[in-house]
Amino acid sequence: MAITLNQSDAGFEERFATFLTTKREASPDVDSAVAAIIADVRARGDEALVGHTQKFDGADLRSLGIAVSKADIAKAYGEADAETIEALKFARERIRSHHQRQRPADDRYTDTAGVELGSLWTAVEAVGLYVPGGTASYPSSVLMNAIPAVVAGVERIVMVVPAPGGAINPLVLVAADLAGVSEIYRVGGAQAVAALAYGTESIRPVAKIVGPGNAYVAAAKRQVFGTVGIDMIAGPSEVLVVADADNDPDWIAADLLAQAEHDAAAQSILITDDPALASAVEGAVMRQLKSLPRAETAAASWRDFGAIILVETLDSAIPLINRIAAEHLELTIKDADAFLPHIRNAGAVFLGRHTPEVIGDYVGGSNHVLPTARSARFSSGLSVLDFMKRTSILKLGPEQLRALAPAAIALARAEGLEAHGRSVAIRLNI
Amino acid sequence: MAITLNQSDAGFEERFATFLTTKREASPDVDSAVAAIIADVRARGDEALVGHTQKFDGADLRSLGIAVSKADIAKAYGEADAETIEALKFARERIRSHHQRQRPADDRYTDTAGVELGSLWTAVEAVGLYVPGGTASYPSSVLMNAIPAVVAGVERIVMVVPAPGGAINPLVLVAADLAGVSEIYRVGGAQAVAALAYGTESIRPVAKIVGPGNAYVAAAKRQVFGTVGIDMIAGPSEVLVVADADNDPDWIAADLLAQAEHDAAAQSILITDDPALASAVEGAVMRQLKSLPRAETAAASWRDFGAIILVETLDSAIPLINRIAAEHLELTIKDADAFLPHIRNAGAVFLGRHTPEVIGDYVGGSNHVLPTARSARFSSGLSVLDFMKRTSILKLGPEQLRALAPAAIALARAEGLEAHGRSVAIRLNI
């Protein structure tokens, strides 16, 4: 049973505020263990990768090789189901086509003072992509992380993926190949992050590392940040479904459970103005749970973090929706388009009754790497911009320098920076 | 004396690699002190702000007030020099006009399958702006941090600035008022960052915190990251001047010293293909140093971190320039525009002999908050985008859902996520 919050109850605001700040994940303190692994990889390179991989993944890189070979990839195609390969290709084309629209345009112009200004975009030269092993080794995530980098123009996309017991999910290798990943190494954990940041004999360093991982991977990314760039640290997934009375409770329940099956720390929330729908959805969740292979995970998520919020009107839900700032927001209501301009904070919005969030996970075309844990208040999903950077340009001639000099010199002197003033004045003999 | 590296010497590559990775800043371990301050502000709110401010800044907020009032700002205008106020207004207009070009456009479209997609940009609702006290309390930085937020459409821009002994630089208050800052509080350090992230009785929380600060401020920003967004952690400033033979050594020396006077950990680098220019610049630096008010700081920076790199040809400097990935890059060479396309990594580029970097610090119009410590390899200067976030949009009708369903269901099943498949299938009775 998820909790129910009723907007018309006294004490709602306090309960809602508590709900908002509930932590869903323990953060085990692995910082010192991770620091030791990173130091070891910096000191011993490949030898350290071999040692840690033997210990954590039970895989012998001396015989398997650190690098995944072309033959390994060919073998993976042989092992993968043909229908799934076709589905990956279908997804790839849709993701690529959407992300191509995100390429930023350079801007170079001359202003009324004759000063030339500009913003020029360039791709990051080399990017590392972390892919988890085991059950969370998702080929769709490989597409979602690699394709924006390819579209940005990144030359080297370096994937690392642990091979527990020596095995890598063949679909992950196929997805990497289809997406355009340039190099793949069978290492994981903090040791893989260290190798990407500092390099070893086998793995040349990259400039930025993206992709999800466990607590060790997240801590390692935090520790190497500065030496390389990192993406956001992803938390457990979440969905907020906003539904009016005119909905099939089974559809809503299916959407809530799709999120809940990811992880016991995932969160599914329903906001509705119809108490009858709320009860019907609760019943449908319980019924559908019974036939789910991942029933245990989904049940734990729904029990511990699921919520049904009853509101008086959908309009009165708007401030709640913006405070929740959900990773995924479904608007399964009469006129979703008219409601949309009120949405201020959300990673992705799914409009109408025929846009289940799952479409966005795989084949919608937009990215499924989205801000979690209310971070949609200040950050965005993964995009081509995450793999590019902007250089600003200034160009003055003598006339422009003369025009701008007095203000620049005045500000430099006001800030006590005499050498700043001189670097302008010396060019004008003033 | 700065070090000199000569590209034609044996051992150059090794020396250059060591030079690149030299740390210029000690990072004192203040994490536990900062964690205690943050916990105290969360527990005791304003009372903690008053206590820490008394201790660290020697200022009594009980009598001064936590908030800076309209009367305080009016008083600051009275204390500020009229010419400097005019210079701030001149800078504001140029910065605003450049940043207005950075506003991203929403993108909403229907693809060939009839699927509606989109990317919608919204401003962050509330932003905190940290401004250091003391000698590093720069009005120009207030403009550079606040104006992009104003242009983005941020409603609440909340400035915090310590008042050592009760005093705040009047120009900082004037700059804040001119830029459009909405609230100002006279608190600093980790306690100010904690107040911005979690709120107190006087200070409502924000969603993102930007602005430079000392080791305590940087550690506090790292610790509250996740609860709020943060900008990059700025390191000491740096300039790379690339000069051909046809340069006045005094101009180059002035540019190198403008950077060096910031901080003993600042870095000034000259790359040239002309040994005679290199010697002449070295001499000019020594001469100019003598008449600088901040000679001690500038001399320490030049001695400890300054460098002259002699190259055989300017073309052979390109890989070095891109590896250095300087915050500021001056191309004071014959055809700077033709050289520009080779530049891959730089925060800002200043083209030609009449564009000293200092113009970009104040009145060029582009932002002076730029990536330091080689992070231009993976990040960009501050822009309007840092104060906005993108929400992706998907909308399918029954027909589009039918078209996309088979691939989505195939991928969900391949990933072992049965509830994902069901949330699509249930809508199509498949």
Side-chain angles (χ1 to χ4, degrees), chain A residues 1-3 253 256-268 282 284-307, chain B residues 419 422:
Chain A
M1 264 309 258
I3 63 159
L256 297 171
L257 286 170
Q259 211 57 223
E261 78 172 336
H262 267 295
D263 187 342
Q267 182 165 55
S268 303
E282 178 84 54
V285 165
M286 291 306 158
R287 264 195 319 279
Q288 290 186 26
L289 259 176
K290 290 185 188 130
S291 58
L292 275 188
R294 295 168 67 93
E296 202 177 329
T297 301
S301 158
W302 181 244
R303 178 191 68 225
D304 295 339
F305 302 112
Chain B
R422 185 188 286 169

Side-chain angles (χ1 to χ4, degrees), chain A residues 77-404:
Chain A
Y77 273 98
E79 289 165 4
D81 169 69
E83 192 199 355
T84 312
I85 295 176
E86 283 313 304
L88 285 171
K89 287 184 185 168
F90 181 83
R92 173 187 63 178
E93 295 313 313
R94 292 196 53 86
I95 297 164
R96 187 153 60 189
S97 131
H98 177 69
H99 285 75
Q100 272 162 349
R101 301 176 69 102
Q102 294 177 343
R103 285 182 61 102
D106 286 347
D107 182 30
R108 185 113 191 240
Y109 65 101
T110 304
D111 73 9
T112 50
V115 176
E116 290 181 48
L117 295 103
S119 299
L120 306 184
W121 291 89
T122 45
V124 174
E125 286 172 304
V127 165
L129 164 54
Y130 191 92
V131 177
T135 51
S137 197
Y138 294 137
S140 61
S141 290
V142 175
L143 298 184
M144 293 290 182
N145 280 279
I147 292 172
V150 172
V151 171
V154 175
E155 284 106 341
R156 273 183 75 221
I157 303 174
V158 183
M159 185 169 114
V160 292
V161 53
I168 297 175
N169 178 352
L171 285 172
V172 160
L173 296 182
V174 169
D177 187 63
L178 291 175
V181 166
S182 7
E183 306 163 23
I184 308 177
Y185 300 96
R186 43 173 74 82
V187 287
Q191 58 275 19
V193 174
L196 290 171
Y198 295 103
T200 69
E201 298 87 332
S202 298
I203 305 179
R204 278 185 300 142
V206 300
K208 181 163 185 171
I209 302 175
V210 302
N214 64 17
Y216 286 82
V217 172
K221 280 166 68 179
R222 279 209 183 83
Q223 289 185 25
V224 300
F225 175 57
T227 299
V228 296
I230 61 169
D231 60 352
M232 57 189 140
I233 306 288
S237 200
E238 65 219 14
V239 71
L240 168 57
V241 181
V242 178
D244 58 20
D246 188 20
N247 271 287
D248 183 330
D250 268 316
W251 295 14
I252 309 290
D255 296 356
L256 297 171
L257 286 170
Q259 211 57 223
E261 78 172 336
H262 267 295
D263 187 342
Q267 182 165 55
S268 303
I269 308 170
L270 169 64
I271 291 187
T272 182
D273 57 354
D274 181 21
L277 182 80
S279 315
V281 168
E282 178 84 54
V285 165
M286 291 306 158
R287 264 195 319 279
Q288 290 186 26
L289 259 176
K290 290 185 188 130
S291 58
L292 275 188
R294 295 168 67 93
E296 202 177 329
T297 301
S301 158
W302 181 244
R303 178 191 68 225
D304 295 339
F305 302 112
I308 295 178
I309 302 176
L310 282 167
V311 291
E312 287 150 59
T313 64
L314 291 178
D315 280 348
S316 73
I318 292 167
L320 308 182
I321 295 167
N322 284 324
R323 285 167 72 190
I324 292 170
E327 182 190 14
H328 305 110
L329 171 62
E330 285 187 13
L331 297 178
T332 169
I333 57 178
K334 185 156 190 250
D335 193 352
D337 278 286
F339 201 77
L340 182 60
H342 300 295
I343 302 306
R344 181 70 178 259
N345 302 324
V349 183
F350 303 85
L351 296 162
R353 311 193 195 284
H354 290 87
T355 318
E357 180 276 323
V358 166
I359 290 295
D361 286 343
Y362 295 117
V363 291
S366 49
N367 209 288
H368 81 194
V369 181
L370 293 165
T372 58
R374 305 186 65 220
S375 62
R377 292 173 300 127
F378 53 80
S379 62
S380 311
L382 195 70
S383 80
V384 170
L385 293 182
D386 291 299
F387 299 99
M388 302 189 79
K389 62 255 176 5
R390 192 178 32 77
T391 296
S392 64
I393 302 297
L394 267 183
K395 185 179 181 185
L396 280 67
E399 192 188 332
Q400 289 75 42
L401 186 60
R402 252 189 310 278
L404 268 53

Side-chain angles (χ1 to χ4, degrees), chain B residues 346-362:
Chain B
V349 182
F350 303 85
L351 296 162
R353 313 196 194 281
H354 291 87
T355 319
E357 181 276 322
V358 167
I359 289 296
D361 286 344
Y362 295 116

